[in-house]
Amino acid sequence: MQAVYANTDYEPAAVARDAQVRGALAQTGIAFHPAKDQVVFDTDEVLTAAGTPYGVFTPYKNAWLKKLEPFYLQAYPVGRHAGALAPRPAGEAAGVPTLAAIGFEPTNLAALKLAPGTAGGRALLEDFSDERIDRYDQTRDFPAVKGPSYLSVHLRFGTLSIRELARLAWDRARAGSRGAEVWLSELIWRDFYHQVLHHHPQVVERSFKPEYDKIKWEHGKHADALFAAWCEGRTGYPLVDAAMLQINQTGYMHNRLRMVVASFLCKDLGLDWRRGERYFAEKLNDYDLAANNGGWQWASSSGCDAQPYFRIFNPVSQSQKFDAQGKFIRRYLPQLAALPDAALHAPWDAKPLDLVAAGLVLGRDYPEPIVRHELARERTLARYAVVKGAR
Ligand SMILES: Cc1cc2nc3c(=O)[nH]c(=O)nc-3n(C[C@H](O)[C@H](O)[C@H](O)COP(=O)(O)OP(=O)(O)OC[C@H]3O[C@@H](n4cnc5c(N)ncnc54)[C@H](O)[C@@H]3O)c2cc1C
């Protein structure tokens, strides 16, 4: 064997592992060649004119699009080099060990109707690229609608190629599809967060904006109880609870809801974003350190190009806007199903007659809200005040 070729992995633990592998191989005179595969542009391929990494998405996206040409999206002809692979070492003749032999346990992917492998990814892609992609700009924010691609898990595990997806989106966008143009932006966010993680690996532990680590989060028994209610979908805010049941039951959560529940954790419950980040890491089938960390730091306002801290999502108006008829809420919270649409978003404000007609007793069939958003909002503004002028 002369050399080992592998795809570059950007997560700090993987970078450390690859450095170890490189060192061990070097001792026996074998070269190690990592190559870009997970992203369209590598971490140093899109930089500012000064040669520094971008910290804000829109200029990054503009530079990314400016640099794009067909070369970067073509398939690499690896097949024709297969004959150059070193023969399998003696003693490994039995072939690749089974997943069970390596210690993997059977999962519930079939029950989740999550078709694995390239065949599974391709079926989803066909379903999306047929025409849904063209309406993506209008449908992507509504969790009850089959709007997004659901391809994240395939991008995460490399069962679909980012280049193929970006090529599809780019071609379609240039042919005039607004939906494809917006979807391409999402793929660019993915590259963006990968380069953030590479250039700022400290974000794994700390806030991208250091002054945000001065914030004093709620802690102790009361905070633990709030966190447990959030995890288990018992906050009393139907959209938040339905979203948490979605992640718990399916290993997926719609992007709009990821933003809503993340904001709720930090800005309504006053809990450290890292608790939510870890919970998502445990539950999401598409868990990706770069995107998850970026999403959480965006929501907590501590991140790269995050929203300003005084912009606080109102969980009730988000619900009224993005699940107006309560279709998504009713799917996960059948005990609320009989409430009129207007009462579904804030059951504590429902008319007593509506509650009776729906057979619903708050505190028995569904929780009272664990915080009042208006009060929590004031507490958050006070909590976050430490970041002002702290740099
Ligand atoms: C708090 C929070 C946590 C998140 N955690 C993850 C995570 O662990 N893994 C993950 O893949 N995405 C994460 N995202 C981003 C986004 O929510 C998911 O990529 C998306 O919901 C996956 O569904 P989809 O494939 O149908 O997306 P689509 O809307 O069809 O988007 C297509 C692809 O673009 C990429 N993408 C979309 N939005 C983003 C984004 N904001 N950042 C980076 N890439 C994006 C994904 O690869 C996605 O599959 C997170 C977002 C937030 C706000």
Side-chain angles (χ1 to χ4, degrees):
M1 197 195 308
Q2 296 160 335
V4 170
Y5 292 82
N7 296 335
T8 305
D9 193 329
Y10 304 91
E11 299 188 357
V15 171
R17 177 204 59 206
D18 289 351
Q20 250 184 337
V21 170
R22 180 193 290 276
L25 288 170
Q27 284 183 1
T28 53
I30 299 173
F32 180 64
H33 300 296
K36 171 178 76 171
D37 179 58
Q38 269 191 56
V39 289
V40 173
F41 287 119
D42 222 326
T43 48
D44 287 328
E45 282 187 298
V46 179
L47 297 171
T48 65
T52 53
Y54 282 97
V56 178
F57 177 69
T58 304
Y60 174 82
K61 174 181 146 181
N62 292 339
W64 191 103
L65 285 169
K66 199 165 162 210
K67 192 175 172 77
L68 192 62
E69 44 180 278
F71 168 78
Y72 292 108
L73 300 181
Q74 71 193 8
Y76 298 148
V78 286
R80 72 165 107 108
H81 301 296
L85 286 177
R88 189 175 289 155
E92 301 290 338
V96 180
T98 62
L99 290 175
I102 311 174
F104 282 94
E105 289 172 7
T107 65
N108 61 344
L109 292 185
L112 295 179
K113 299 203 180 97
L114 214 168
T118 299
R122 214 150 270 296
L124 276 180
L125 177 59
E126 271 166 32
D127 188 39
F128 179 65
S129 61
D130 193 20
E131 50 182 45
R132 277 200 293 125
I133 187 173
D134 297 321
R135 295 192 302 272
Y136 178 77
D137 55 320
Q138 294 151 43
T139 56
R140 70 190 184 123
D141 269 321
F142 301 94
V145 176
K146 194 175 165 192
S149 67
Y150 308 107
L151 289 173
S152 48
V153 73
H154 291 283
L155 280 166
R156 173 67 187 98
F157 288 100
T159 38
L160 282 181
S161 152
I162 181 63
R163 286 174 296 285
E164 180 183 356
L165 301 189
R167 191 165 63 235
L168 168 88
W170 196 41
D171 288 348
R172 248 344 215 266
R174 285 185 301 170
S177 165
R178 173 74 188 132
E181 190 185 332
V182 174
W183 195 62
L184 181 60
S185 280
E186 299 307 315
L187 300 181
I188 303 174
W189 269 107
R190 185 174 169 276
D191 268 18
F192 177 69
Y193 281 139
H194 271 95
Q195 62 93 38
V196 171
L197 180 62
H198 170 79
H199 291 291
H200 308 279
Q202 76 278 9
V203 295
V204 173
E205 306 281 337
R206 300 198 293 276
S207 294
F208 175 80
K209 296 185 208 150
E211 65 273 25
Y212 279 71
D213 280 334
K214 290 187 191 306
I215 293 174
K216 297 268 181 287
W217 302 106
E218 297 293 318
H219 62 280
K221 276 200 180 134
H222 179 58
D224 293 347
L226 292 175
F227 182 60
W230 179 84
C231 294
E232 292 161 21
R234 293 188 282 103
T235 68
Y237 284 80
L239 189 66
V240 173
D241 293 341
M244 295 309 295
L245 294 178
Q246 182 180 41
I247 197 174
N248 291 340
Q249 291 171 19
T250 70
Y252 176 84
M253 191 193 288
H254 187 278
N255 179 58
R256 168 61 45 185
L257 302 178
R258 295 188 202 205
M259 296 195 285
V260 169
V261 304
S263 174
F264 191 83
L265 182 103
C266 309
K267 295 184 177 172
D268 281 90
L269 302 183
L271 299 177
D272 191 336
W273 56 269
R274 281 159 278 233
R275 295 181 87 160
E277 185 199 17
R278 271 197 302 275
Y279 190 75
F280 269 31
E282 239 174 67
K283 294 287 171 186
L284 284 174
N285 285 326
D286 66 20
Y287 168 60
D288 175 273
L289 175 54
N292 194 45
N293 182 275
W296 274 96
Q297 295 226 33
W298 180 88
S300 75
S301 300
S302 63
C304 210
D305 198 16
Q307 60 170 347
Y309 75 80
F310 46 82
R311 271 199 57 205
I312 298 177
F313 275 10
N314 179 322
V316 174
S317 31
Q318 289 286 310
S319 186
Q320 288 161 336
K321 192 163 171 197
F322 297 112
D323 192 31
Q325 292 152 359
K327 277 193 191 156
F328 182 82
I329 291 174
R330 286 192 173 91
R331 195 179 299 159
Y332 284 95
L333 296 169
Q335 66 272 45
L336 301 182
L339 280 179
D341 294 355
L344 204 57
H345 310 285
W348 60 90
D349 277 341
K351 294 189 195 113
L353 267 182
D354 283 338
L355 289 173
V356 172
L360 186 71
V361 177
L362 288 183
R364 183 193 74 185
D365 307 315
Y366 184 69
E368 301 268 6
I370 52 170
V371 285
R372 287 282 172 184
H373 174 70
E374 298 67 28
L375 301 178
R377 190 175 183 285
E378 293 309 313
R379 279 199 298 274
T380 289
L381 291 174
R383 186 190 311 282
Y384 273 72
V386 293
V387 307
K388 274 195 276 184
R391 260 177 200 262

